[in-house]
Every structure is written in C-alpha cells, then in structure tokens.
Amino acid sequence: MNHNFSLRRYYYEDEDTDTEEVGRERGLGDEGRLCVESAIPSEPRFEEIIGESRALRDTLRQVKVVAATDATVLVLGETGTGKELIARAIHNRSSRRERTFVKINCAAIPSGLLESEFFGHERGAFTGAIAQRIGRFEAANGGTLFLDEVGEIPLELQPKLLRVLQEREYVRVGGSRTIKIDVRLVAATNRDLVQMVDEHRFRDDLYYRLNIFPIYAPPLRERPEDIEPLVRHFVQHFAAQMRRRIEVIPTETLDALRGHAWPGNVRELENLIERAVILSAGPRLTVPLEHGRRSIPLVQDVSTGTLEVVKRAHVVRVLEETNWIVGGCRGAAARLGMKRTTLQSLIKRLEITRRAQAA
C-alpha cells in the first residue's frame, strides 16, 4: 500500500506547546505530535528541524534548556546531522534572537587569515589590508557567533580565542585599541576533541571553556523513524522549487530508505531526494534505490573466520558506525565497552586503518 502525499509542512513540536492538533498524516503512526502551518504555538517552534524520534526530542529538550541562558554550547555530531540548525535554534529561542546570528566555518578559511576573520584588522596590518575591517566577533556583538568546525582552529590561534571568551575583549590585528564585546558563542565539531587534547592538537583549557554545555546531534541511523517526515519535507520543498507535482511516495521506497546506513546523514538524504524529484516524471516519487545499495557499508561474512578476524571485523564496523570517532560518550570505545586507550591499542595491534578499510 502506498502513502498518499499531501503538500503540507510538518514541524517538530514541544510537548508543552499549546496548540490545537489539526490532524495526522496517514501511515505516520501515533508517536509524537504533528501540526500543520496553520497551528498557532505559544512559543517559537523548531521550524527547520524535522522529526519526532526520541533521540531528536532529547536533543531539542537540551536546546530549550540552554537557550534561555548565555552559556557557551558545544554541538557534537557527524557531518550532515544539522549542527548549524541546532545552533540557530539556540539563538532563535534566546534573549538575543532579535540580534545578529553570525556563522563562520573554521575549516573553510586559510589558517593564516583566520585571526583576521575572527577579530578584524586595521589598515596596513598586513599585505593587502588596504582598509579597516571588522571581524566576526564584532559583527556578532549583542547576538550569537557560531563557530563551525572548531576543531580546525590552528593551535597558535587557540590561546587568543580563549582570552576573548574569558575576558570578553580583544584587539584587532595590527591595532592597539581594546574592543569589548558581548557575544554568545556556539561551537560545533565532528572531531573527537578529547582525543585531540590527548594528542596535543587542541588546548585542554579551550576545550573545557567550550564544553560548558555539550549537545549531541544524533546521526540519521539512530533516528530511522524520522526518515519519513524528512522525505516528505524534502519532497515538498524540491517539488515546489521545480514546479513538480508529487503525490505518492511508495511504501517500498520508504522501507528501503529506512534500511540505509546514511553515512552522510540528513544532508545525504536531502541530496538523494532532490535527485529523485528530478527523475520523477509523474506524481509518483522515483528514488534511485541503487544509491542505497552501493553506499550501505558492507559487513564481511566472518562466520567461518578465526577469532582475530571476527574481532577485527567487529571493531571496523563499530568504527564505521561512529564515523571513526574513538573517544567520547558516543565514540567507538564506549560502544565497545572499553577504554579509549585500550581501543587505540587494539586498533594498532589489528592494523586497522581507514585507508586499508576503503581498499
């Protein structure tokens, strides 16, 4: 039996939001509440975060708790899990929501220019600095600054960032005047910062300053019940954008999508649905399911292997499932029930490398 698709947008809604429940989409089940755009909530909704899974609800409850404060937040999660959406949700529910939300991807800017990007520079501070320029901290004054990929900040710049977080002041590159700021910081990373601290690639004092309130963005494989509302949301978005009329999402398609490992998480699903809408000539969604068959990580048949082979395959699979993050409460070591150092020794002894696995 196929699900009929109606072009209505669904949002995650807080349990304590006062709104009229205006209906449920057939086939979505009874867990979680769904509302359409016409419902009027008593407080802002998480309009861009789609899903009703327990893992996502737990995350959004933490967002609601911390948003009312000015505490620094560290969003942890794999690539494509929506860490920026979480950062925006924190800002939109805070007392700073009327002020600026400024974001910067620390991995996208050459390390030599990152200090100027953070703090700005004075005219003549370096070759090419032909005019004074304010930095992202100054631009975000009174609002929220989102530092994405914070694990990519060069080690030599980290003490300066720490000082700004502690003293709430800084000096532009090439300047002498101290500038005071009032900024709420939200940082995000897909790296294992604890391991980086142990390897002396990230300052421990900066880590502790950023890790005041950590929030975990769950990967899509931990919230398969969110596949259907996400698919519906993306179909609606891209169908409207391309002026297509998609009315039916086959049940077998949804079942296949739920069974995919989604190493690229929600971003991978979004890209697949965009491609599917392009390929759909009629009202029935046509998803290139060979995408899933090719990219689902294959588990080797080790039923006849030695204990060492079985152990190695199991460790590799857990590492793949955790995006090769070893430490932390969601890392491979915790999943395997062992200390991080023990797992690192095991990986070395079993000669497990990402390059070898890819081969």
Side-chain angles (χ1 to χ4, degrees):
M1 178 178 179
N2 295 331
H3 292 304
N4 291 326
F5 175 80
S6 60
L7 292 181
R8 294 186 293 176
R9 185 174 182 179
Y10 290 88
Y11 302 108
Y12 170 87
E13 184 183 15
D14 290 335
E15 292 178 351
D16 59 350
T17 301
D18 181 20
T19 185
E20 179 183 2
E21 187 174 352
V22 293
R24 297 177 182 276
E25 184 73 0
R26 189 181 214 180
L28 287 179
D30 295 327
E31 184 178 353
R33 297 197 298 168
L34 299 171
C35 64
V36 295
E37 286 179 312
S38 58
I40 303 176
S42 60
E43 58 181 318
R45 297 170 294 185
F46 296 101
E47 294 190 354
E48 296 182 333
I49 302 178
I50 310 297
E52 312 94 38
S53 64
R54 180 179 296 275
L56 185 59
R57 285 180 178 273
D58 289 344
T59 295
L60 296 183
R61 286 191 188 99
Q62 289 183 295
V63 168
K64 183 179 176 182
V65 167
V66 77
T69 74
D70 264 344
T72 300
V73 178
L74 179 61
V75 186
L76 304 167
E78 300 173 11
T79 298
T81 52
K83 296 186 289 296
E84 182 180 338
L85 292 180
I86 291 175
R88 287 187 178 275
I90 293 170
H91 173 75
N92 291 337
R93 284 182 162 253
S94 74
S95 60
R96 300 172 180 266
R97 58 183 171 271
E98 301 299 327
R99 305 301 293 271
T100 310
F101 177 90
V102 177
K103 64 177 181 178
I104 178 171
N105 187 328
C106 302
I109 299 172
S111 58
L113 299 178
L114 199 54
E115 182 178 0
S116 172
E117 198 70 28
F118 280 172
F119 311 128
H121 61 256
E122 299 290 351
R123 179 180 178 181
F126 50 83
T127 302
I130 59 176
Q132 184 192 76
R133 182 178 185 274
I134 68 170
R136 302 296 179 95
F137 272 91
E138 195 169 348
N141 193 29
T144 302
L145 178 63
F146 175 51
L147 297 184
D148 197 10
E149 304 294 351
V150 73
E152 307 302 323
I153 296 177
L155 198 58
E156 62 271 16
L157 182 56
Q158 293 176 21
K160 297 181 181 180
L161 176 59
L162 177 63
R163 182 180 181 276
V164 173
L165 298 180
Q166 292 175 336
E167 306 297 332
R168 301 285 179 174
E169 62 182 29
Y170 67 93
V171 176
R172 292 195 189 109
V173 177
S176 58
R177 183 172 63 92
T178 299
I179 301 171
K180 294 187 177 296
I181 53 164
D182 173 27
V183 171
R184 201 271 180 79
L185 184 72
V186 180
T189 184
N190 61 2
R191 305 286 294 274
D192 183 353
L193 294 185
V194 174
Q195 183 175 350
M196 292 182 67
V197 168
D198 290 345
E199 296 171 352
H200 305 290
R201 292 187 292 125
F202 201 86
R203 290 180 62 101
D204 55 355
D205 47 5
L206 177 58
Y207 169 72
Y208 297 135
R209 188 65 184 78
L210 294 174
N211 198 44
I212 292 175
F213 196 93
I215 293 181
Y216 175 66
L220 193 53
R221 64 178 175 276
E222 292 184 6
R223 36 184 289 227
E225 57 267 57
D226 290 339
I227 295 289
E228 183 165 344
L230 281 167
V231 169
R232 291 176 178 275
H233 168 72
F234 291 138
V235 167
Q236 174 190 341
H237 172 74
F238 291 118
Q241 191 178 80
M242 302 176 195
R243 298 182 180 181
R244 300 287 181 88
R245 185 178 180 85
I246 307 295
E247 298 177 342
V248 178
I249 303 176
T251 302
E252 59 270 20
T253 295
L254 291 172
D255 290 341
L257 295 177
R258 291 190 194 99
H260 181 40
W262 299 111
N265 293 292
V266 178
R267 187 178 298 130
E268 180 186 357
L269 176 62
E270 179 181 11
N271 294 339
L272 176 63
I273 297 304
E274 181 178 10
R275 180 183 173 194
V277 172
I278 294 172
L279 293 174
S280 300
R284 182 185 177 93
L285 184 69
T286 302
V287 177
L289 293 178
E290 67 274 8
H291 163 92
R293 285 196 293 269
R294 279 200 300 264
S295 53
I296 291 178
L298 298 177
V299 179
Q300 294 179 329
D301 181 9
V302 295
S303 58
T304 59
T306 65
L307 179 60
E308 199 77 354
V309 171
V310 173
K311 182 188 296 183
R312 187 181 191 281
H314 180 57
V315 170
V316 168
R317 183 169 68 174
V318 173
L319 286 168
E320 291 285 350
E321 291 174 353
T322 56
N323 197 30
W324 292 82
I325 295 175
V326 176
C329 61
R330 299 283 182 171
R335 293 274 297 273
L336 291 167
M338 62 178 64
K339 294 181 179 179
R340 176 179 51 78
T341 52
T342 303
L343 178 56
Q344 288 173 333
S345 299
L346 184 62
I347 290 173
K348 186 175 181 179
R349 181 170 63 82
L350 296 176
E351 298 181 348
I352 297 173
T353 64
R354 299 183 79 162
R355 181 181 300 177
Q357 179 61 14

